[in-house]
Amino acid sequence: MINNPKDIEDILKEIDKITFDQLDKAIKETDKEFEQMLYNYQEEIFDNTQSTISAMKNNEYNTIESQQIEVTEIADIIDIQETIISEEEGENRTWMKEKVLVA
Amino acid sequence: MNETIIVGYHATNRDNIQAIINEGFIESKANKGHWLGKGIYLFENLYYAIEWEIIGVIKHNVDSYDEIEKKCGILAVDLDADNYKIIDFSEPQGYAIFERLLQLIKNNYTKEKYEDILNKGYAYIIKVLENLEKQNNVKYLSRYDVICAVYPKYISKQRTHLPGDFIPCVQKQICIKNKNAIKNIYELKHSDMTKGIFRLITNNREEKND
């Protein structure tokens, strides 16, 4: 049952019996534990932040890898273009030699 | 006879799903930001369980539901509200316990000390009650099998404070203290419904950060 009135009434009567000494002792104990709880919570926030940073770094690394692959592909294209230019220049030189020889 | 069942949702790593269904839950430690003390935590609203998949399981923003589908899962838990004792602190009857303890503190300490204690929040007050139980060997909260409370979630930036304004987007947390109150645990499969909620969550989180 949810919020049984009889149970709640019993608890309220018990709370009324609590002495100052008992309350003070419980509060002092809670102060010690609460500091530790907050410290652990801060650690968890820190851990979560670190996880997020790692995930971001992984994403960056994957991006950098992709960019490196792109660069390699572009370099390959440049190589091919240079080869074509060399071959064309080679053809031109051959033609020039032939012209000279004829003259 | 109709049974009274409370349903809650628990988000977790996909690898844990079958183990929990087969062997049951392991209690969460109270120092992990769980404000109702040690126990097994559920959300009443599936929205917050799916959001927990993002912020609590994956722990960073996700662009697509695919990542959630791969890494997370949700368990639906049926609780027996007929045979087990449940207290809801956000209802007047449940809150009466808090009020009585706060009144006791107010009567015994200076105004400054009282306000200092109040400023530490209700999680602190719950801890005080737990320590009183240990000391006095009296059951205050431990007589309950399940403890619930409602927390504000400032999802929307639009705020007004006029009479007649309902409180939007509150989050009810359910803390199971006694695992015997669990009647049934089953996996809630990823579906168009869960994807739709995910889109709403993403939209709300973006708006909040604007």
Side-chain angles (χ1 to χ4, degrees), chain A residues 1 3 16 24 30-31 40, chain B residues 31 81 84 86 88 100 109 124:
Chain A
M1 194 182 172
N3 291 341
D16 287 341
D24 200 46
T30 307
D31 283 339
N40 290 345
Chain B
N31 61 2
Y84 291 88
I86 301 174
D88 189 338
R100 191 61 64 93
Y109 289 98
Y124 179 95

Side-chain angles (χ1 to χ4, degrees), chain B residues 92-106:
Chain B
Q93 304 93 317
Y95 188 66
I97 295 173
F98 260 74
E99 275 191 314
R100 191 61 64 93
L101 186 63
L102 286 172
Q103 191 59 50
L104 186 72
I105 295 169
K106 197 175 186 184

Side-chain angles (χ1 to χ4, degrees), chain B residues 32-160:
Chain B
K32 277 193 153 192
H34 288 138
W35 302 316
L36 298 172
K38 276 189 206 176
I40 298 149
Y41 278 77
L42 311 175
F43 293 107
E44 188 190 49
N45 190 322
L46 182 57
Y47 177 103
Y48 297 113
I50 294 173
E51 191 179 40
W52 188 251
E53 287 180 318
I54 301 168
I55 60 180
V57 180
I58 296 177
K59 297 185 186 180
H60 60 84
N61 280 335
V62 292
D63 295 323
S64 95
Y65 194 77
D66 294 340
E67 197 171 346
I68 292 198
E69 216 162 350
K70 276 185 214 152
K71 295 181 181 175
C72 310
I74 295 207
L75 292 160
V77 182
D78 291 343
L79 296 173
D80 180 352
D82 282 329
N83 299 306
Y84 291 88
K85 293 187 180 192
I86 301 174
I87 186 161
D88 189 338
F89 283 137
S90 299
E91 298 289 340
Q93 304 93 317
Y95 188 66
I97 295 173
F98 260 74
E99 275 191 314
R100 191 61 64 93
L101 186 63
L102 286 172
Q103 191 59 50
L104 186 72
I105 295 169
K106 197 175 186 184
N107 292 345
N108 282 282
Y109 289 98
T110 61
K111 187 179 172 206
E112 289 74 25
K113 175 74 179 174
Y114 170 70
E115 277 168 16
D116 178 56
I117 288 171
L118 211 56
N119 285 339
K120 289 180 185 170
Y122 287 167
Y124 179 95
I125 304 293
I126 289 175
K127 215 74 210 85
V128 169
L129 269 171
E130 285 177 355
N131 283 326
L132 280 164
E133 276 200 9
K134 278 189 233 168
Q135 275 171 217
N136 303 352
N137 210 25
V138 173
K139 289 184 178 245
Y140 303 110
L141 299 183
S142 66
R143 63 178 74 199
Y144 290 100
D145 303 299
V146 180
I147 296 180
C148 307
V150 171
Y151 299 90
K153 295 296 285 183
Y154 303 107
I155 286 174
S156 169
K157 280 183 157 185
Q158 314 297 329
R159 301 295 308 281
T160 62

Side-chain angles (χ1 to χ4, degrees), chain A residues 24-67:
Chain A
D24 200 46
K25 191 176 170 191
I27 285 175
K28 285 179 172 138
E29 189 57 38
T30 307
D31 283 339
K32 278 189 250 169
E33 289 169 0
F34 214 62
E35 264 179 47
Q36 186 60 37
M37 240 167 85
L38 286 174
Y39 175 74
N40 290 345
Y41 188 51
Q42 292 300 329
E43 270 199 333
E44 185 174 328
I45 292 172
F46 178 74
D47 284 345
N48 287 351
T49 311
Q50 291 297 99
S51 301
T52 307
I53 291 171
S54 298
M56 282 165 64
K57 281 191 175 158
N58 281 341
N59 283 345
E60 273 176 24
Y61 181 73
N62 290 340
T63 310
I64 289 169
E65 265 198 331
S66 314
Q67 286 173 347

Side-chain angles (χ1 to χ4, degrees), chain A residues 91-103:
Chain A
E91 280 171 15
N92 284 341
R93 279 196 216 105
T94 310
W95 180 78
M96 289 298 288
K97 270 191 196 168
E98 283 173 2
K99 269 192 98 172
V100 165
L101 284 171
V102 164

